[in-house]
Amino acid sequence: MHARTESHHDLHLANGTPHRPETLRMNTGDSVTQTFGADVFNERVMRQRLPKDVYKRIQRTIKHAEPLDPEIADVVAAAMKDWAIEHGATHYTHWFQPLTGTTAEKHDAFLVPDGNGGALSEFTGSALAQGEPDASSFPSGGLRATFEARGYTAWDPTSPPFLNRAGGGVTLCIPTAFVSWTGVALDHKTPLLRSMDAISEQALRILKIFGTHHGVSRIMCTAGAEQEYFLIDRSYYFKRPDLLACDRTLFGAKPPKHQQLEDHYFGSIPQRVIAFMVESERELYRLGVPVKTRHNEVAPGQFELAPIFETANLACDHQMLVMETLKKVANRHGLQCILHEKPFAGINGSGKHLNWSMSTDTGVNLLDPRDDTHTNMQFLTFLCAVIRAVDLHADLLRASVASANNDHRLGANEAPPAIMSIFLGDMLSDIIDQIESGSPKSTMKGGKLDLGSRMLPQIPRHTGDRNRTSPFAFTGNKFEFRAVGSSQAVAWPATVLNTIVAESLDYVATELEKSLGKNASEAKLQQVVKGLLQKLVKQHKRVIFNGDGYDKAWHIEAEKKRKLPNLRNSVDALPVMGSKKNVELFKKYGVLNKEETESREHIYIEKYNKQVMIEAETAALMARTLVLPAAVRQQTELASAVGASEAADIDASSLREELEEFNGLVSTLRARINKLEKANDAEVSDEHKKSVHIRDNVLAAMLSLREVVDELETRISHDLWPLPSYRDMLSIR
């Protein structure tokens, strides 16, 4: 398997402070400057359309997380309605993210009868602030009975409303939280916002200790999610029942040429794909999504789009829009966008690297090491807190990216291992070693690279290489969580990351406050901080690893020597969510209560079971109704050829040998179809036990069936084979 190559995403994610759409600067005259955010009811639009006092009050809500004032809701709603109608909108919807991994919306018209045979347009503050969708049809993990239908959506003012243009119509979309009638969270956004509050509260305590809190009212988690995806011709997509039902191929022989020549990564982008990318970017720009980079990925037909940093909840909303837009625009170009982590066996799958940091609302990135890093005690405190968080909560971090899709990718030589570890690079690792030994005294410098030609300039050299095999890597002024799956909504891993870091910051702040007391001198502060950092490093440095994460020796060392958890698959990983430790963690910081945490464990396990069983039943059906008939036809043609040769007194020994060998393959095919169908039919009521059965029996039977089907593909005539091949699909024409 081809290992992932060095990437350059830091070029567009270099600044860990949040991006604000209304302040994006581009070249004068560039049409993008005219259209960026054109379909967003953002700060610029509010400033133009709202009374000055209302504008100031809504901005306090947005920037300082203050409650929305009901007194101004009608004014804001009226301005939003007028703006939307001027842009062609006829309907509005509360746009939310249930625990399905997708978005949901229910459209209502602005139109209301006037009682005189005519109609008026109406949109009130109460309709803006709160909606009431049916909550019974979304996953709840036992939080709601099926007959208990009422649910609520509540506007998230920190994520601006936007216009969705589709099908010739325009709809005003209002990003919202989604809860049940009793107030329990049924979505990804609600716990994300709660986790952002938790980390802000604890991080502010650290700033107060260092005396750097003046003028700071809130700490913002920042994020940028890189999106990898595949494109195939849409005509092939509809000829593959497995892609239609599962978004991945369940069968498919490896083509003679795939990615072995390493000629795809950063290669020239096909013109048809460029056209798709340009249109996708135009739509995303109008929605205020700051996409920056596009390029070919490692595998044929694989590409990537990456954004600039934003506040975490906005980044998560934008990530959902990215996925929806890529799929929508691809269809217009006769293409199908596939977001599955492993749509094609034998070549690199797709991930979604979550770049994460912390920033003050004054624009200071708290994970920026700056020059002379060894003297930056505040940065080192935040760094060591993150190290502690990943070490203590590695199981939960792993569970946050667990899915049936991601199981195909994690641990292969294309993605980080399932073992959670941290890459720091040479400079920070050296400082960590100095901290462990006592007091840091120096910062490693990168220097210059001489390229050996007077025609080429000397270029600055970083103080450490990048490590593409690490699941959690420091990349200059942020961490890159590289284990997230390409089809995954990033809000959940971001929530987990925020929560575990909040807990660690709480611990660090409490320890420092106890040791320092009141009115501590600068000298005492330095002494106490250095002592605590040394303690943290000694206790948690086991999670730091700068080597090759693909190396089997590392897996042995991680498990046996360092005692790091290695939850190899979702069946092992997901149950840790409901552990006493993790239930108490979420409860302590107000992110999820006990019932909400346990419900998510149940939902994700149930989703795993349903997803794999859909794949298994699709595989059995395809094998029996498509592959087996093709094999029988090939078998019949071979038998006819043998009979005709022997009748003509031609030596048919080689043909007969081929026929007998093929007969054996067909018999094996029938047996393995039967084995898979038997595994599929097994009745296991308990969802946990069912997931174990699926992992150990169903998946094994699917793999066994695939082996013989893929072998048959190489033996059956092309005109008889019923499915588009990898060779066809991975080449965009």
Side-chain angles (χ1 to χ4, degrees):
M1 184 68 66
H2 180 85
R4 281 291 303 268
T5 317
E6 176 69 27
S7 182
H8 302 281
H9 298 131
D10 279 351
L11 293 175
H12 61 264
L13 294 165
N15 186 1
T17 58
H19 160 75
R20 294 183 175 86
E22 67 273 11
T23 62
L24 185 78
R25 296 289 182 262
M26 297 184 180
N27 295 330
T28 305
D30 188 338
S31 63
V32 177
T33 60
Q34 310 302 319
T35 60
F36 190 88
D39 286 344
V40 183
F41 193 77
N42 53 28
E43 182 179 342
R44 183 181 64 250
V45 178
M46 291 183 193
R47 191 186 302 115
Q48 294 171 348
R49 290 178 172 265
L50 294 175
K52 189 173 182 180
D53 178 61
V54 174
Y55 168 74
K56 288 182 177 178
R57 291 164 74 181
I58 191 69
Q59 286 304 303
R60 285 199 296 270
T61 294
I62 294 170
K63 294 182 178 180
H64 303 298
E66 295 182 3
L68 178 65
D69 189 342
E71 292 183 4
I72 69 171
D74 282 335
V75 179
V76 175
M80 195 180 298
K81 178 203 69 175
D82 292 343
W83 170 82
I85 290 175
E86 288 172 18
H87 285 76
T90 58
H91 290 68
Y92 69 91
T93 181
H94 277 197
W95 183 79
F96 57 100
Q97 300 174 38
L99 298 173
T100 57
T102 58
T103 60
E105 51 198 65
K106 180 187 76 168
H107 296 194
D108 289 300
F110 289 122
L111 182 145
V112 293
D114 63 1
N116 297 312
L120 303 170
S121 60
E122 182 180 86
F123 184 53
T124 64
S126 59
L128 166 64
Q130 182 176 310
E132 190 176 320
D134 190 323
S136 64
S137 299
F138 295 102
S140 72
L143 290 173
R144 301 283 288 157
T146 54
F147 67 87
E148 296 176 315
R150 192 181 302 275
Y152 297 120
T153 50
W155 179 33
D156 170 18
T158 62
S159 185
F162 59 92
L163 301 175
N164 178 27
R165 301 176 182 273
V170 182
T171 303
L172 172 66
C173 296
I174 304 159
T176 61
F178 175 46
V179 298
S180 75
W181 180 72
T182 58
V184 295
L186 296 176
D187 65 341
H188 287 302
K189 168 157 287 195
T190 303
L192 174 64
L193 294 173
R194 294 170 181 171
S195 73
M196 292 174 67
D197 288 341
I199 202 170
S200 179
E201 179 183 349
Q202 302 306 327
L204 279 170
R205 292 172 63 193
I206 302 293
L207 295 191
K208 288 177 182 177
I209 290 170
F210 284 95
T212 56
H213 63 293
H214 302 291
V216 179
S217 60
R218 186 167 176 81
I219 306 300
M220 312 300 295
C221 298
T222 59
E226 306 162 24
Q227 180 67 61
E228 296 176 358
Y229 59 95
F230 279 85
L231 292 174
I232 67 169
D233 194 284
R234 200 161 165 80
S235 62
Y236 294 137
Y237 177 79
F238 285 105
K239 294 176 182 177
R240 295 281 316 209
D242 45 3
L243 284 176
L244 283 167
C246 315
D247 216 33
R248 80 177 181 100
T249 57
L250 302 174
F251 308 120
K254 189 185 298 184
K257 183 183 181 301
H258 43 97
Q259 64 185 51
Q260 65 267 57
L261 293 181
E262 302 169 322
D263 56 342
H264 299 93
Y265 197 48
F266 281 15
S268 177
I269 303 172
Q271 290 300 302
R272 186 180 179 189
V273 176
I274 279 287
F276 150 78
M277 288 178 168
V278 168
E279 186 174 348
S280 297
E281 289 166 358
R282 285 173 179 166
E283 291 210 4
L284 291 169
Y285 288 148
R286 293 189 65 88
L287 294 169
V289 183
V291 292
K292 180 74 171 178
T293 298
R294 63 189 184 210
H295 61 81
N296 274 354
E297 259 294 339
V298 171
Q302 187 185 33
F303 309 92
E304 180 174 304
L305 177 150
I308 300 171
F309 256 70
E310 304 177 279
T311 55
N313 67 312
L314 186 57
C316 292
D317 284 357
H318 281 170
Q319 175 56 210
M320 302 306 294
L321 287 176
V322 165
M323 291 193 291
E324 292 174 4
T325 301
L326 290 176
K327 281 185 166 292
K328 179 174 63 176
V329 175
N331 294 349
R332 299 177 198 154
H333 291 258
L335 299 168
Q336 185 69 31
C337 177
I338 301 175
L339 300 175
H340 194 285
E341 284 76 358
K342 195 71 172 180
F344 304 102
I347 65 173
N348 273 44
S350 298
K352 184 180 310 185
H353 303 167
L354 176 60
N355 294 271
W356 177 93
S357 190
M358 296 172 281
S359 174
T360 68
D361 55 3
T362 59
V364 178
N365 182 0
L366 299 176
L367 289 179
D368 187 351
R370 302 179 186 175
D371 296 331
D372 296 323
T373 306
H374 69 285
T375 66
N376 191 343
M377 290 294 111
Q378 180 176 287
F379 162 77
L380 293 173
T381 299
F382 278 103
L383 176 69
C384 288
V386 174
I387 293 171
R388 177 186 178 277
V390 175
D391 183 34
L392 289 183
H393 304 286
D395 59 341
L396 185 58
L397 200 60
R398 166 66 179 92
S400 74
V401 297
S403 71
N405 292 358
N406 218 12
D407 279 358
H408 295 286
R409 179 175 163 270
L410 290 184
N413 287 355
E414 63 184 59
I419 303 166
M420 294 294 107
S421 65
I422 296 176
F423 169 82
L424 292 181
D426 293 345
M427 184 269 285
L428 286 182
S429 293
D430 180 61
I431 292 177
I432 289 293
D433 289 341
Q434 293 181 53
I435 291 173
E436 185 178 20
S437 301
S439 178
K441 294 183 171 45
S442 64
T443 299
M444 186 182 295
K445 304 298 182 182
K448 300 277 187 182
L449 279 177
D450 187 347
L451 302 184
S453 171
R454 287 187 293 178
M455 306 269 302
L456 297 172
Q458 290 188 338
I459 60 175
R461 183 182 184 273
H462 289 90
T463 54
D465 203 350
R466 299 186 63 200
N467 190 328
R468 311 304 299 177
T469 70
S470 174
F472 201 78
F474 189 80
T475 53
N477 58 8
K478 62 188 182 332
F479 282 98
E480 185 181 58
F481 188 18
R482 301 187 65 252
V484 183
S486 55
S487 66
Q488 187 173 4
V490 296
W492 176 236
T495 298
V496 169
L497 186 53
N498 292 346
T499 306
I500 65 176
V501 174
E503 184 277 332
S504 203
L505 292 173
D506 182 7
Y507 170 83
V508 170
T510 301
E511 290 296 302
L512 291 177
E513 289 164 352
K514 286 193 300 187
S515 300
L516 289 169
K518 295 182 179 179
N519 302 317
S521 66
E522 179 65 24
K524 185 176 182 181
L525 173 63
Q526 292 288 320
Q527 180 187 3
V528 170
V529 170
K530 288 177 181 178
L532 179 59
L533 295 183
Q534 185 180 43
K535 176 183 175 184
L536 292 174
V537 168
K538 288 182 176 180
Q539 290 179 343
H540 303 291
K541 69 174 294 185
R542 66 172 185 164
V543 79
I544 299 172
F545 178 65
N546 291 335
D548 184 0
Y550 299 159
D551 192 342
K552 292 181 180 179
W554 159 239
H555 292 216
I556 297 171
E557 178 185 339
E559 287 189 75
K560 295 187 177 181
K561 184 178 178 180
R562 301 198 187 193
K563 306 299 181 183
L564 297 176
N566 186 7
L567 304 171
R568 292 177 173 82
N569 52 68
S570 297
V571 178
D572 293 336
L574 289 173
V576 307
M577 290 174 54
S579 69
K580 182 179 179 181
K581 181 192 77 165
N582 291 328
V583 168
E584 291 178 350
L585 170 71
F586 286 121
K587 182 180 179 181
K588 180 177 180 180
Y589 296 97
V591 177
L592 296 168
N593 61 31
K594 183 174 184 293
E595 291 73 24
E596 289 171 328
T597 302
E598 291 175 344
S599 71
R600 277 155 177 76
E601 177 192 354
H602 178 83
I603 288 167
Y604 296 147
I605 291 175
E606 186 179 51
K607 182 179 180 180
Y608 172 91
N609 292 344
K610 289 177 177 178
Q611 194 164 350
V612 180
M613 288 309 302
I614 289 171
E615 293 180 353
E617 291 174 9
T618 301
L621 186 64
M622 289 176 65
R624 188 170 291 286
T625 62
L626 293 174
V627 178
L628 182 58
V632 170
R633 285 195 290 271
Q634 180 76 29
Q635 192 178 32
T636 302
E637 289 189 6
L638 281 172
S640 297
V642 170
S645 296
E646 291 178 341
D649 201 25
I650 298 172
D651 183 9
S653 57
S654 60
L655 274 176
R656 180 167 291 283
E657 184 179 339
E658 183 179 349
L659 174 61
E660 290 174 355
E661 187 177 335
F662 195 85
N663 289 341
L665 285 174
V666 175
S667 297
T668 301
L669 174 65
R670 286 194 173 96
R672 292 184 181 181
I673 293 173
N674 293 336
K675 183 179 179 180
L676 177 57
E677 290 174 339
K678 184 179 179 180
N680 292 347
D681 292 340
E683 295 186 7
V684 185
S685 57
D686 180 81
E687 292 293 337
H688 284 273
K689 292 179 180 178
K690 188 175 182 178
S691 69
V692 174
H693 165 72
I694 287 171
R695 179 195 62 191
D696 295 345
N697 299 308
V698 175
L699 286 175
M702 286 179 64
L703 181 60
S704 178
L705 175 60
R706 175 167 194 153
E707 289 174 351
V708 68
V709 171
D710 289 357
E711 175 66 19
L712 283 166
E713 183 180 350
T714 67
R715 305 286 292 273
I716 293 177
S717 299
H718 183 72
D719 61 317
L720 295 179
W721 189 250
L723 300 168
S725 68
Y726 277 21
R727 181 187 61 192
D728 296 329
M729 292 186 289
L730 294 173
S731 178
I732 296 179
R733 302 177 180 86

